[in-house]
Short mmCIF file of all heavy atoms in Angstrom, two decimals:
data_model
loop_
_atom_site.label_atom_id
_atom_site.label_comp_id
_atom_site.label_asym_id
_atom_site.label_seq_id
_atom_site.Cartn_x
_atom_site.Cartn_y
_atom_site.Cartn_z
N CYS I 193 0.81 -1.19 0.02
CA CYS I 193 0.03 0.01 -0.01
C CYS I 193 0.85 1.26 -0.02
O CYS I 193 0.60 2.20 -0.72
CB CYS I 193 -0.90 0.00 1.19
SG CYS I 193 -2.08 -1.39 1.32
N ALA I 194 1.90 1.27 0.89
CA ALA I 194 2.65 2.45 1.03
C ALA I 194 3.51 2.87 -0.16
O ALA I 194 3.94 4.00 -0.33
CB ALA I 194 3.59 2.31 2.22
N ALA I 195 3.66 2.00 -1.18
CA ALA I 195 4.32 2.38 -2.41
C ALA I 195 3.53 3.32 -3.22
O ALA I 195 4.14 4.17 -3.87
CB ALA I 195 4.66 1.13 -3.23
N CYS I 196 2.21 3.29 -3.11
CA CYS I 196 1.35 4.18 -3.88
C CYS I 196 0.50 5.13 -3.13
O CYS I 196 -0.02 6.06 -3.62
CB CYS I 196 0.49 3.32 -4.77
SG CYS I 196 1.38 2.45 -6.01
N HIS I 197 0.28 4.81 -1.81
CA HIS I 197 -0.64 5.55 -1.01
C HIS I 197 0.10 6.13 0.27
O HIS I 197 1.02 5.51 0.85
CB HIS I 197 -1.75 4.79 -0.53
CG HIS I 197 -2.68 4.25 -1.59
ND1 HIS I 197 -3.68 5.06 -2.19
CD2 HIS I 197 -2.67 3.08 -2.22
CE1 HIS I 197 -4.21 4.32 -3.12
NE2 HIS I 197 -3.71 3.07 -3.14
N ASN I 198 -0.25 7.30 0.69
CA ASN I 198 0.15 7.95 1.96
C ASN I 198 -1.15 8.27 2.77
O ASN I 198 -2.17 8.45 2.11
CB ASN I 198 0.90 9.23 1.60
CG ASN I 198 1.36 9.98 2.78
OD1 ASN I 198 0.63 10.62 3.51
ND2 ASN I 198 2.69 9.91 3.01
N ALA I 199 -1.09 8.29 4.01
CA ALA I 199 -2.30 8.63 4.80
C ALA I 199 -2.79 10.05 4.53
O ALA I 199 -3.97 10.22 4.40
CB ALA I 199 -1.96 8.45 6.33
N ASP I 200 -1.89 10.98 4.32
CA ASP I 200 -2.34 12.36 4.34
C ASP I 200 -2.36 13.10 2.92
O ASP I 200 -2.87 14.12 2.77
CB ASP I 200 -1.52 13.22 5.26
CG ASP I 200 -1.72 12.71 6.70
OD1 ASP I 200 -2.87 12.57 7.17
OD2 ASP I 200 -0.71 12.48 7.42
N MET I 201 -1.47 12.59 2.06
CA MET I 201 -1.33 13.29 0.75
C MET I 201 -1.31 12.29 -0.42
O MET I 201 -0.97 11.14 -0.30
CB MET I 201 -0.05 14.09 0.71
CG MET I 201 1.13 13.34 0.88
SD MET I 201 2.62 14.43 1.02
CE MET I 201 3.84 13.53 0.01
N LYS I 202 -1.79 12.78 -1.56
CA LYS I 202 -1.83 12.01 -2.83
C LYS I 202 -0.44 11.68 -3.24
O LYS I 202 0.53 12.48 -3.19
CB LYS I 202 -2.56 12.77 -3.86
CG LYS I 202 -2.66 12.02 -5.15
CD LYS I 202 -3.31 12.85 -6.26
CE LYS I 202 -3.51 12.12 -7.54
NZ LYS I 202 -2.60 11.13 -7.91
N MET I 203 -0.18 10.41 -3.63
CA MET I 203 1.05 10.02 -4.23
C MET I 203 0.62 9.50 -5.60
O MET I 203 -0.05 10.14 -6.36
CB MET I 203 1.70 8.95 -3.39
CG MET I 203 2.32 9.48 -2.06
SD MET I 203 2.96 8.28 -0.97
CE MET I 203 4.12 7.39 -1.96
N VAL I 204 0.90 8.25 -5.92
CA VAL I 204 0.46 7.63 -7.14
C VAL I 204 -1.04 7.47 -7.08
O VAL I 204 -1.80 7.76 -7.97
CB VAL I 204 1.15 6.28 -7.42
CG1 VAL I 204 0.52 5.64 -8.62
CG2 VAL I 204 2.67 6.44 -7.58
N GLY I 205 -1.50 6.99 -5.92
CA GLY I 205 -2.91 6.88 -5.59
C GLY I 205 -3.40 7.90 -4.62
O GLY I 205 -2.56 8.68 -4.11
N PRO I 206 -4.65 7.97 -4.35
CA PRO I 206 -5.17 8.99 -3.39
C PRO I 206 -4.69 8.82 -1.99
O PRO I 206 -4.30 7.68 -1.63
CB PRO I 206 -6.70 8.84 -3.57
CG PRO I 206 -6.84 7.41 -3.92
CD PRO I 206 -5.70 7.05 -4.80
N ALA I 207 -4.73 9.85 -1.19
CA ALA I 207 -4.48 9.79 0.19
C ALA I 207 -5.49 8.86 0.81
O ALA I 207 -6.69 8.86 0.54
CB ALA I 207 -4.50 11.13 0.88
N LEU I 208 -5.09 8.02 1.80
CA LEU I 208 -5.98 7.09 2.51
C LEU I 208 -7.12 7.84 3.09
O LEU I 208 -8.24 7.41 3.19
CB LEU I 208 -5.21 6.23 3.40
CG LEU I 208 -4.15 5.34 2.82
CD1 LEU I 208 -3.40 4.51 3.85
CD2 LEU I 208 -4.76 4.40 1.82
N LYS I 209 -6.76 9.05 3.67
CA LYS I 209 -7.77 9.81 4.35
C LYS I 209 -8.86 10.36 3.44
O LYS I 209 -9.99 10.55 3.73
CB LYS I 209 -7.24 10.95 5.20
CG LYS I 209 -6.49 10.46 6.43
CD LYS I 209 -5.95 11.58 7.23
CE LYS I 209 -5.13 11.09 8.46
NZ LYS I 209 -4.64 12.18 9.26
N ASP I 210 -8.41 10.67 2.17
CA ASP I 210 -9.36 11.02 1.09
C ASP I 210 -10.29 9.82 0.76
O ASP I 210 -11.51 10.07 0.50
CB ASP I 210 -8.68 11.52 -0.09
CG ASP I 210 -7.91 12.88 0.12
OD1 ASP I 210 -8.29 13.56 1.04
OD2 ASP I 210 -7.01 13.21 -0.75
N ILE I 211 -9.79 8.70 0.73
CA ILE I 211 -10.58 7.47 0.43
C ILE I 211 -11.60 7.35 1.58
O ILE I 211 -12.82 7.12 1.34
CB ILE I 211 -9.71 6.18 0.29
CG1 ILE I 211 -8.80 6.34 -0.86
CG2 ILE I 211 -10.61 5.00 0.21
CD1 ILE I 211 -7.76 5.28 -0.89
N ALA I 212 -11.17 7.47 2.80
CA ALA I 212 -12.11 7.41 3.96
C ALA I 212 -13.18 8.40 3.84
O ALA I 212 -14.32 8.14 4.15
CB ALA I 212 -11.35 7.44 5.20
N ALA I 213 -12.82 9.62 3.47
CA ALA I 213 -13.82 10.74 3.37
C ALA I 213 -14.81 10.48 2.28
O ALA I 213 -16.02 10.67 2.47
CB ALA I 213 -13.09 12.05 3.16
N LYS I 214 -14.35 9.94 1.12
CA LYS I 214 -15.26 9.69 0.04
C LYS I 214 -16.25 8.59 0.40
O LYS I 214 -17.45 8.71 -0.10
CB LYS I 214 -14.43 9.23 -1.19
CG LYS I 214 -15.31 8.86 -2.44
CD LYS I 214 -14.42 8.49 -3.61
CE LYS I 214 -15.31 8.13 -4.83
NZ LYS I 214 -14.48 7.94 -6.05
N TYR I 215 -15.84 7.64 1.07
CA TYR I 215 -16.78 6.53 1.45
C TYR I 215 -17.47 6.67 2.77
O TYR I 215 -18.21 5.72 3.19
CB TYR I 215 -16.06 5.17 1.32
CG TYR I 215 -15.74 4.86 -0.10
CD1 TYR I 215 -14.47 5.08 -0.62
CD2 TYR I 215 -16.71 4.28 -0.94
CE1 TYR I 215 -14.14 4.80 -1.98
CE2 TYR I 215 -16.36 3.90 -2.27
CZ TYR I 215 -15.14 4.19 -2.73
OH TYR I 215 -14.81 3.90 -4.04
N ALA I 216 -17.25 7.73 3.53
CA ALA I 216 -17.80 7.91 4.85
C ALA I 216 -19.36 7.81 4.82
O ALA I 216 -19.98 8.45 3.96
CB ALA I 216 -17.43 9.22 5.43
N GLY I 217 -19.91 6.91 5.53
CA GLY I 217 -21.37 6.84 5.55
C GLY I 217 -21.96 6.04 4.42
O GLY I 217 -23.19 5.98 4.34
N VAL I 218 -21.22 5.54 3.50
CA VAL I 218 -21.67 4.79 2.36
C VAL I 218 -21.86 3.30 2.71
O VAL I 218 -20.97 2.67 3.16
CB VAL I 218 -20.68 4.90 1.11
CG1 VAL I 218 -21.15 4.03 0.04
CG2 VAL I 218 -20.49 6.29 0.73
N ALA I 219 -23.08 2.84 2.55
CA ALA I 219 -23.45 1.50 2.86
C ALA I 219 -22.60 0.55 1.97
O ALA I 219 -22.46 0.69 0.82
CB ALA I 219 -24.88 1.22 2.64
N GLY I 220 -22.01 -0.54 2.59
CA GLY I 220 -21.18 -1.45 1.89
C GLY I 220 -19.83 -0.97 1.48
O GLY I 220 -19.13 -1.70 0.67
N ALA I 221 -19.39 0.14 2.01
CA ALA I 221 -18.11 0.64 1.65
C ALA I 221 -16.96 -0.20 1.90
O ALA I 221 -16.02 -0.39 1.09
CB ALA I 221 -17.82 2.03 2.31
N ALA I 222 -16.94 -0.91 3.11
CA ALA I 222 -15.85 -1.79 3.45
C ALA I 222 -15.71 -2.97 2.45
O ALA I 222 -14.64 -3.38 2.03
CB ALA I 222 -15.99 -2.29 4.88
N ASP I 223 -16.87 -3.46 2.02
CA ASP I 223 -16.87 -4.58 1.00
C ASP I 223 -16.38 -4.12 -0.33
O ASP I 223 -15.52 -4.79 -1.01
CB ASP I 223 -18.30 -5.13 0.91
CG ASP I 223 -18.71 -5.93 2.16
OD1 ASP I 223 -17.86 -6.49 2.91
OD2 ASP I 223 -19.95 -5.87 2.41
N THR I 224 -16.77 -2.85 -0.73
CA THR I 224 -16.39 -2.30 -2.02
C THR I 224 -14.85 -2.16 -2.03
O THR I 224 -14.18 -2.54 -2.94
CB THR I 224 -17.10 -1.02 -2.32
OG1 THR I 224 -18.45 -1.33 -2.38
CG2 THR I 224 -16.56 -0.36 -3.55
N LEU I 225 -14.35 -1.52 -0.93
CA LEU I 225 -12.99 -1.28 -0.85
C LEU I 225 -12.16 -2.51 -0.78
O LEU I 225 -11.07 -2.65 -1.35
CB LEU I 225 -12.63 -0.36 0.34
CG LEU I 225 -13.03 1.07 0.27
CD1 LEU I 225 -12.71 1.85 1.49
CD2 LEU I 225 -12.42 1.79 -1.00
N ALA I 226 -12.64 -3.50 -0.08
CA ALA I 226 -11.97 -4.79 0.03
C ALA I 226 -11.80 -5.47 -1.34
O ALA I 226 -10.75 -6.05 -1.71
CB ALA I 226 -12.67 -5.78 0.98
N LEU I 227 -12.84 -5.32 -2.19
CA LEU I 227 -12.77 -5.89 -3.53
C LEU I 227 -11.71 -5.11 -4.37
O LEU I 227 -11.04 -5.75 -5.14
CB LEU I 227 -14.18 -5.78 -4.24
CG LEU I 227 -15.18 -6.78 -3.77
CD1 LEU I 227 -16.61 -6.44 -4.47
CD2 LEU I 227 -14.80 -8.14 -4.08
N HIS I 228 -11.72 -3.82 -4.19
CA HIS I 228 -10.72 -3.04 -4.91
C HIS I 228 -9.27 -3.38 -4.50
O HIS I 228 -8.36 -3.48 -5.28
CB HIS I 228 -10.92 -1.52 -4.69
CG HIS I 228 -12.17 -1.00 -5.33
ND1 HIS I 228 -12.49 0.33 -5.35
CD2 HIS I 228 -13.20 -1.63 -6.07
CE1 HIS I 228 -13.64 0.60 -6.02
NE2 HIS I 228 -14.07 -0.70 -6.39
N ILE I 229 -9.10 -3.55 -3.15
CA ILE I 229 -7.83 -3.99 -2.68
C ILE I 229 -7.36 -5.36 -3.21
O ILE I 229 -6.24 -5.44 -3.72
CB ILE I 229 -7.85 -4.01 -1.15
CG1 ILE I 229 -7.94 -2.57 -0.60
CG2 ILE I 229 -6.55 -4.65 -0.55
CD1 ILE I 229 -8.29 -2.44 0.93
N LYS I 230 -8.29 -6.27 -3.17
CA LYS I 230 -7.97 -7.65 -3.62
C LYS I 230 -7.86 -7.79 -5.09
O LYS I 230 -6.93 -8.41 -5.65
CB LYS I 230 -8.89 -8.65 -3.07
CG LYS I 230 -8.60 -10.03 -3.32
CD LYS I 230 -9.53 -11.01 -2.57
CE LYS I 230 -9.23 -12.44 -2.94
NZ LYS I 230 -8.04 -13.00 -2.43
N ASN I 231 -8.78 -7.20 -5.80
CA ASN I 231 -8.85 -7.47 -7.29
C ASN I 231 -8.30 -6.26 -8.13
O ASN I 231 -8.24 -6.38 -9.32
CB ASN I 231 -10.34 -7.71 -7.68
CG ASN I 231 -10.87 -8.85 -6.99
OD1 ASN I 231 -10.28 -9.85 -6.77
ND2 ASN I 231 -12.14 -8.77 -6.53
N GLY I 232 -8.06 -5.15 -7.52
CA GLY I 232 -7.60 -3.96 -8.25
C GLY I 232 -8.81 -3.20 -8.74
O GLY I 232 -9.89 -3.63 -8.60
N SER I 233 -8.51 -2.05 -9.27
CA SER I 233 -9.62 -1.21 -9.86
C SER I 233 -9.03 -0.22 -10.84
O SER I 233 -7.80 -0.07 -10.96
CB SER I 233 -10.35 -0.39 -8.72
OG SER I 233 -9.44 0.53 -8.15
N GLN I 234 -9.86 0.36 -11.62
CA GLN I 234 -9.49 1.32 -12.62
C GLN I 234 -10.55 2.38 -12.79
O GLN I 234 -11.77 1.95 -12.83
CB GLN I 234 -9.12 0.69 -13.95
CG GLN I 234 -8.55 1.70 -14.95
CD GLN I 234 -7.92 0.95 -16.15
OE1 GLN I 234 -7.99 -0.26 -16.22
NE2 GLN I 234 -7.36 1.70 -17.03
N GLY I 235 -10.20 3.65 -12.89
CA GLY I 235 -11.08 4.69 -13.09
C GLY I 235 -11.84 5.28 -11.96
O GLY I 235 -12.61 6.15 -12.11
N VAL I 236 -11.56 4.69 -10.78
CA VAL I 236 -12.28 5.17 -9.62
C VAL I 236 -11.75 6.51 -9.12
O VAL I 236 -12.41 7.47 -8.77
CB VAL I 236 -12.21 4.18 -8.39
CG1 VAL I 236 -12.87 4.69 -7.18
CG2 VAL I 236 -12.80 2.89 -8.85
N TRP I 237 -10.37 6.68 -9.24
CA TRP I 237 -9.68 7.94 -8.80
C TRP I 237 -8.93 8.54 -9.91
O TRP I 237 -7.97 9.30 -9.76
CB TRP I 237 -8.76 7.59 -7.64
CG TRP I 237 -9.49 7.25 -6.46
CD1 TRP I 237 -9.89 6.03 -6.00
CD2 TRP I 237 -9.96 8.20 -5.41
NE1 TRP I 237 -10.63 6.14 -4.81
CE2 TRP I 237 -10.66 7.42 -4.42
CE3 TRP I 237 -9.79 9.54 -5.24
CZ2 TRP I 237 -11.19 8.00 -3.27
CZ3 TRP I 237 -10.38 10.09 -4.09
CH2 TRP I 237 -11.08 9.36 -3.12
N GLY I 238 -9.18 8.14 -11.12
CA GLY I 238 -8.46 8.71 -12.29
C GLY I 238 -7.97 7.53 -13.19
O GLY I 238 -8.35 6.48 -13.02
N PRO I 239 -7.06 7.85 -14.14
CA PRO I 239 -6.68 6.96 -15.21
C PRO I 239 -5.68 5.95 -14.68
O PRO I 239 -5.54 4.82 -15.36
CB PRO I 239 -6.14 7.81 -16.25
CG PRO I 239 -5.59 9.00 -15.56
CD PRO I 239 -6.59 9.27 -14.41
N ILE I 240 -5.01 6.11 -13.62
CA ILE I 240 -4.03 5.17 -13.20
C ILE I 240 -4.66 3.99 -12.43
O ILE I 240 -5.36 4.17 -11.47
CB ILE I 240 -2.92 5.80 -12.20
CG1 ILE I 240 -2.20 6.98 -13.00
CG2 ILE I 240 -1.94 4.79 -11.71
CD1 ILE I 240 -1.21 7.76 -12.06
N PRO I 241 -4.45 2.79 -12.99
CA PRO I 241 -5.14 1.62 -12.35
C PRO I 241 -4.44 1.18 -11.05
O PRO I 241 -3.27 1.37 -10.84
CB PRO I 241 -4.97 0.49 -13.36
CG PRO I 241 -3.77 0.91 -14.08
CD PRO I 241 -3.68 2.37 -14.10
N MET I 242 -5.23 0.62 -10.15
CA MET I 242 -4.74 0.10 -8.97
C MET I 242 -4.62 -1.48 -9.21
O MET I 242 -5.59 -2.09 -9.56
CB MET I 242 -5.66 0.24 -7.76
CG MET I 242 -5.15 -0.29 -6.45
SD MET I 242 -6.17 0.13 -5.05
CE MET I 242 -5.90 -1.29 -4.01
N PRO I 243 -3.40 -2.04 -9.11
CA PRO I 243 -3.25 -3.36 -9.39
C PRO I 243 -3.77 -4.22 -8.19
O PRO I 243 -4.00 -3.75 -7.09
CB PRO I 243 -1.71 -3.57 -9.41
CG PRO I 243 -1.13 -2.43 -8.58
CD PRO I 243 -2.07 -1.36 -8.70
N PRO I 244 -4.13 -5.55 -8.50
CA PRO I 244 -4.61 -6.37 -7.47
C PRO I 244 -3.51 -6.66 -6.46
O PRO I 244 -2.32 -6.58 -6.81
CB PRO I 244 -5.06 -7.68 -8.19
CG PRO I 244 -4.39 -7.52 -9.55
CD PRO I 244 -4.05 -6.14 -9.83
N ASN I 245 -3.88 -6.97 -5.26
CA ASN I 245 -2.95 -7.36 -4.20
C ASN I 245 -3.13 -8.83 -3.74
O ASN I 245 -4.26 -9.23 -3.64
CB ASN I 245 -3.17 -6.38 -3.02
CG ASN I 245 -2.70 -4.91 -3.37
OD1 ASN I 245 -1.60 -4.65 -3.36
ND2 ASN I 245 -3.68 -4.16 -3.77
N ALA I 246 -2.03 -9.42 -3.46
CA ALA I 246 -2.09 -10.79 -3.00
C ALA I 246 -2.41 -10.90 -1.55
O ALA I 246 -1.51 -11.13 -0.68
CB ALA I 246 -0.77 -11.48 -3.30
N VAL I 247 -3.73 -10.66 -1.26
CA VAL I 247 -4.18 -10.72 0.18
C VAL I 247 -5.44 -11.66 0.11
O VAL I 247 -6.09 -11.79 -0.89
CB VAL I 247 -4.54 -9.33 0.71
CG1 VAL I 247 -3.30 -8.44 0.82
CG2 VAL I 247 -5.58 -8.69 -0.13
N SER I 248 -5.76 -12.20 1.33
CA SER I 248 -6.93 -13.00 1.46
C SER I 248 -8.16 -12.09 1.49
O SER I 248 -7.97 -10.89 1.69
CB SER I 248 -6.85 -13.82 2.69
OG SER I 248 -6.95 -12.99 3.88
N ASP I 249 -9.31 -12.67 1.40
CA ASP I 249 -10.52 -11.87 1.55
C ASP I 249 -10.59 -11.22 3.00
O ASP I 249 -10.94 -10.07 3.03
CB ASP I 249 -11.79 -12.76 1.38
CG ASP I 249 -11.95 -13.20 -0.08
OD1 ASP I 249 -11.35 -12.56 -1.00
OD2 ASP I 249 -12.75 -14.21 -0.30
N ALA I 250 -10.19 -11.90 3.96
CA ALA I 250 -10.25 -11.43 5.36
C ALA I 250 -9.21 -10.30 5.52
O ALA I 250 -9.49 -9.27 6.15
CB ALA I 250 -9.92 -12.56 6.36
N GLU I 251 -8.02 -10.44 4.94
CA GLU I 251 -7.03 -9.37 5.02
C GLU I 251 -7.50 -8.18 4.28
O GLU I 251 -7.36 -6.99 4.70
CB GLU I 251 -5.70 -9.82 4.41
CG GLU I 251 -5.02 -10.87 5.25
CD GLU I 251 -3.86 -11.59 4.54
OE1 GLU I 251 -3.87 -11.76 3.35
OE2 GLU I 251 -2.99 -12.00 5.28
N ALA I 252 -8.09 -8.37 3.12
CA ALA I 252 -8.61 -7.16 2.38
C ALA I 252 -9.70 -6.48 3.10
O ALA I 252 -9.75 -5.17 3.10
CB ALA I 252 -9.13 -7.67 1.01
N LYS I 253 -10.58 -7.17 3.76
CA LYS I 253 -11.60 -6.57 4.55
C LYS I 253 -10.98 -5.82 5.76
O LYS I 253 -11.45 -4.71 6.08
CB LYS I 253 -12.59 -7.64 5.04
CG LYS I 253 -13.83 -7.12 5.84
CD LYS I 253 -14.80 -6.48 4.91
CE LYS I 253 -16.02 -5.98 5.63
NZ LYS I 253 -17.17 -6.89 5.61
N THR I 254 -10.04 -6.35 6.43
CA THR I 254 -9.37 -5.69 7.52
C THR I 254 -8.69 -4.43 7.05
O THR I 254 -8.86 -3.41 7.73
CB THR I 254 -8.32 -6.57 8.21
OG1 THR I 254 -9.00 -7.73 8.74
CG2 THR I 254 -7.63 -5.92 9.35
N LEU I 255 -7.99 -4.48 5.92
CA LEU I 255 -7.40 -3.25 5.39
C LEU I 255 -8.44 -2.18 5.03
O LEU I 255 -8.29 -1.02 5.34
CB LEU I 255 -6.60 -3.61 4.17
CG LEU I 255 -5.24 -4.27 4.40
CD1 LEU I 255 -4.66 -4.85 3.15
CD2 LEU I 255 -4.20 -3.32 5.05
N ALA I 256 -9.53 -2.54 4.43
CA ALA I 256 -10.57 -1.72 4.01
C ALA I 256 -11.16 -1.00 5.28
O ALA I 256 -11.43 0.21 5.28
CB ALA I 256 -11.68 -2.36 3.27
N GLU I 257 -11.43 -1.74 6.30
CA GLU I 257 -11.94 -1.22 7.52
C GLU I 257 -11.08 -0.26 8.18
O GLU I 257 -11.47 0.81 8.74
CB GLU I 257 -12.38 -2.36 8.48
CG GLU I 257 -13.65 -3.10 7.99
CD GLU I 257 -13.87 -4.44 8.79
OE1 GLU I 257 -13.05 -4.82 9.66
OE2 GLU I 257 -14.97 -4.92 8.50
N TRP I 258 -9.76 -0.57 8.11
CA TRP I 258 -8.73 0.34 8.68
C TRP I 258 -8.72 1.64 7.90
O TRP I 258 -8.71 2.81 8.47
CB TRP I 258 -7.41 -0.26 8.68
CG TRP I 258 -6.30 0.69 9.10
CD1 TRP I 258 -6.05 1.17 10.40
CD2 TRP I 258 -5.36 1.33 8.22
NE1 TRP I 258 -5.06 2.03 10.33
CE2 TRP I 258 -4.63 2.17 9.07
CE3 TRP I 258 -5.14 1.26 6.90
CZ2 TRP I 258 -3.53 2.95 8.54
CZ3 TRP I 258 -4.06 2.01 6.34
CH2 TRP I 258 -3.34 2.86 7.17
N VAL I 259 -8.76 1.61 6.59
CA VAL I 259 -8.75 2.83 5.79
C VAL I 259 -9.94 3.62 6.11
O VAL I 259 -9.85 4.90 6.27
CB VAL I 259 -8.62 2.46 4.26
CG1 VAL I 259 -8.92 3.74 3.43
CG2 VAL I 259 -7.34 1.86 3.89
N LEU I 260 -11.13 3.09 6.29
CA LEU I 260 -12.33 3.73 6.59
C LEU I 260 -12.34 4.44 7.90
O LEU I 260 -13.06 5.26 8.13
CB LEU I 260 -13.53 2.89 6.35
CG LEU I 260 -13.87 2.43 4.94
CD1 LEU I 260 -14.93 1.33 4.89
CD2 LEU I 260 -14.24 3.60 4.02
N SER I 261 -11.52 3.86 8.76
CA SER I 261 -11.41 4.45 10.17
C SER I 261 -10.60 5.74 10.24
O SER I 261 -10.67 6.41 11.25
CB SER I 261 -10.86 3.39 11.10
OG SER I 261 -9.40 3.29 10.95
N LEU I 262 -9.93 6.03 9.14
CA LEU I 262 -9.02 7.22 9.15
C LEU I 262 -9.86 8.50 9.03
O LEU I 262 -10.83 8.51 8.35
CB LEU I 262 -7.96 7.13 8.01
CG LEU I 262 -7.00 5.94 8.04
CD1 LEU I 262 -6.19 5.92 6.81
CD2 LEU I 262 -6.16 6.03 9.23
N LYS I 263 -9.41 9.52 9.78
CA LYS I 263 -10.22 10.78 9.69
C LYS I 263 -9.26 11.90 9.20
O LYS I 263 -8.02 11.87 9.30
CB LYS I 263 -10.62 11.18 11.14
CG LYS I 263 -11.42 10.16 11.90
CD LYS I 263 -12.85 10.09 11.42
CE LYS I 263 -13.60 9.27 12.27
NZ LYS I 263 -14.24 8.11 11.62
N LYS I 264 -9.91 12.78 8.53
CA LYS I 264 -9.12 13.96 7.96
C LYS I 264 -8.77 14.90 9.14
O LYS I 264 -9.35 15.03 10.09
CB LYS I 264 -9.96 14.75 6.97
CG LYS I 264 -9.84 14.11 5.58
CD LYS I 264 -10.29 15.06 4.55
CE LYS I 264 -9.58 14.64 3.33
NZ LYS I 264 -9.01 15.56 2.49
#
């Protein structure tokens, strides 16, 4: 994660706190983010794709919940 993301500022990918803010209060956000973490995504934050990560479903969900817990 840290190769492309920072907690407070945009790097290759968005700041983790920006992700948390975008999905704050959104039903199913942890599941959506877990899928993006595990399978990758494209076009959510711009043209640069996020590659899939070699994590289990449980690890992806834990990471997603942690990201969503971050506050600006």
Side-chain angles (χ1 to χ4, degrees):
C193 299
C196 295
H197 297 279
N198 179 287
D200 298 309
M201 62 185 220
K202 181 182 183 329
M203 291 177 50
V204 174
L208 297 176
K209 289 182 179 181
D210 290 342
I211 297 169
K214 178 177 181 171
Y215 289 98
V218 175
D223 292 329
T224 298
L225 289 178
L227 286 173
H228 291 185
I229 291 167
K230 185 169 174 75
N231 301 321
S233 65
Q234 187 168 1
V236 178
W237 291 90
I240 299 174
M242 179 173 151
N245 291 277
V247 296
S248 69
D249 290 342
E251 290 168 330
K253 183 76 177 261
T254 298
L255 286 166
E257 290 170 347
W258 173 74
V259 169
L260 292 171
S261 76
L262 300 174
K263 306 283 188 239
K264 276 200 156 220

